[in-house]
Amino acid sequence: MAYLNYSGCKIEYEIKNGKAEIKACEDSKGKIILPDAAEGAPVVSLGRYALANIRLAEEIILPSSLEAIGSLAFYNDRGLKRLELPERVFRIGGDAFKNCDGIREVVIKSERLLKYILDELSQEIIVIFKNENDETIWKLLFPVNAESFSEDVPGRAFHRTFTGPGYTYRRETAGSKPDFKRYDGLFKRSFEEEAEEDLCLLAMCRLMYPYKLEKGAEEAYKEYIERNAFIALKSFTERGLFAETEYMTENRLISEEAAEKAADWAREKGNAAVLGRLMDYRLKNFKPRKKSFDL
């Protein structure tokens, strides 16, 4: 085994046949960046438990040369929130992301990785697909995949049950490639089971990156955003999703009543940026109300 210090982290690696495998890595606050090469040898794999028990880092930048990820490679990385899988990755071992329940966003550059990611991560997650030019092609939100276990006492058998739209979205829309028509068709069926905040974000992901989005589905997403404009604005602001708020104002998806309510909320929270955008939106799209006086 050999060691190197890279971007403030101590990394253990091994070289075989001119290719390097990362065996272990120290935890680091904020972001961990892994090298593309060690002693001139390209880093092509992560070993078993290579990045396990990362608690401080919220993002790990993987080598662009990476091809294989060993089983349990990210085991128990509860601090991890975002991960981008390089284009060359073709093999991921079992339970590579076990107990990584903090991940909220995964970027992939090969659509065949979608099903694996969704099978491994049951929490609500956004999957982003980028092309070879690093351009975002589509962005899909998958609701939480709720599961429970029950025991058949006489037979000593355990039964695994999945509930909620998360399971349906994963099972029916994510194969070797995503089925966008089926994905969009499930939206209205989710109204009674998903929170408005999550459905607003799901709809906005499709509207902002409308890959294979049919006209009827587009109208349904826009109508939902308009109907829940205040909830959407409040949720996006709290999550720091300013591009989503900008999309709503640029496409006039906010009624006068919702804009006024959201502006009052932004003023109360001291959010000058959002307040200013909403005030400009109101001035641009609605006539000033005439004041009336009782004599």
Side-chain angles (χ1 to χ4, degrees):
M1 296 295 177
Y3 299 87
L4 64 82
N5 287 304
Y6 188 82
S7 191
C9 293
K10 185 178 180 180
I11 297 170
E12 180 181 340
Y13 65 93
E14 182 179 22
I15 297 178
K16 288 184 179 180
N17 301 319
K19 297 181 178 181
E21 178 175 272
I22 291 178
K23 294 293 188 179
C25 178
E26 283 184 338
D27 200 354
S28 181
K29 189 174 183 180
K31 181 186 293 185
I32 292 175
I33 302 176
L34 300 179
D36 287 337
E39 297 181 39
V43 175
V44 299
S45 60
L46 301 178
R48 184 179 172 89
Y49 290 104
L51 302 172
N53 297 306
I54 298 295
R55 301 298 179 92
L56 300 177
E58 295 184 357
E59 183 175 6
I60 299 176
I61 307 299
L62 300 175
S64 59
S65 53
L66 193 68
E67 298 176 355
I69 296 173
S71 60
L72 297 162
F74 297 89
Y75 174 70
N76 222 27
D77 288 0
R78 298 190 181 276
L80 198 58
K81 293 183 179 179
R82 186 180 189 276
L83 190 67
E84 184 165 334
L85 298 177
E87 185 178 2
R88 296 184 181 183
V89 172
F90 69 90
R91 180 171 60 81
I92 302 177
D95 291 329
F97 302 102
K98 191 172 182 63
N99 290 347
C100 294
D101 47 17
I103 294 179
R104 290 293 175 266
E105 185 174 287
V106 176
V107 178
I108 60 175
K109 294 190 175 181
S110 174
E111 290 184 321
R112 57 185 168 74
L113 293 175
L114 174 63
K115 190 175 187 307
Y116 179 88
I117 292 298
L118 297 178
D119 286 343
E120 284 285 307
L121 300 172
S122 61
Q123 65 265 31
E124 178 184 282
I125 191 166
I126 290 177
V127 182
I128 300 170
F129 174 68
K130 292 186 176 183
N131 63 14
E132 62 275 7
N133 298 319
D134 208 39
E135 300 168 329
T136 297
I137 303 302
W138 52 257
K139 183 176 182 180
L140 300 177
L141 181 146
F142 289 88
V144 62
N145 185 21
E147 61 179 293
S148 60
F149 292 89
S150 59
E151 181 181 4
D152 181 358
V153 177
R156 304 301 297 172
F158 290 88
H159 303 281
R160 191 180 186 189
T161 303
F162 296 93
T163 57
Y167 175 67
T168 306
Y169 271 96
R170 285 164 161 79
R171 183 190 64 186
E172 298 188 16
T173 70
S176 57
K177 289 186 176 182
D179 185 336
F180 294 96
K181 185 173 183 178
R182 182 62 178 157
Y183 180 95
D184 296 329
L186 292 173
F187 184 61
K188 290 184 178 180
R189 287 173 51 181
S190 305
F191 286 179
E192 295 182 359
E193 299 178 88
E194 279 294 297
E196 288 91 346
E197 293 87 347
D198 298 329
L199 289 173
C200 286
L201 183 54
L202 187 154
M204 192 58 67
C205 286
R206 288 298 281 141
L207 290 171
M208 293 181 70
Y209 300 95
Y211 184 70
K212 294 187 177 180
L213 180 62
E214 296 183 356
K215 188 64 177 178
E218 179 185 7
E219 292 174 353
Y221 286 133
K222 283 185 176 180
E223 190 276 333
Y224 188 84
I225 292 291
E226 288 180 293
R227 183 157 34 95
N228 297 278
F230 172 68
I231 293 173
L233 288 167
K234 182 173 176 289
S235 175
F236 295 157
T237 301
E238 291 174 337
R239 299 187 193 203
L241 303 176
F242 304 113
E244 282 75 1
T245 300
E246 185 176 355
Y247 181 95
M248 291 181 67
T249 56
E250 289 180 350
N251 290 273
R252 296 193 64 183
L253 297 179
I254 312 169
S255 68
E256 184 175 13
E257 180 182 0
E260 183 176 354
K261 188 175 180 181
D264 290 341
W265 177 83
R267 186 182 296 107
E268 181 183 334
K269 295 296 180 180
N271 193 319
V274 174
L275 176 60
R277 174 169 286 276
L278 289 170
M279 295 297 288
D280 289 342
Y281 176 81
R282 292 171 64 189
L283 288 172
K284 181 179 178 180
N285 294 286
F286 306 110
K287 294 181 178 179
R289 295 180 180 178
K290 294 182 179 179
K291 293 184 178 179
S292 60
F293 300 92
D294 293 327
L295 299 177

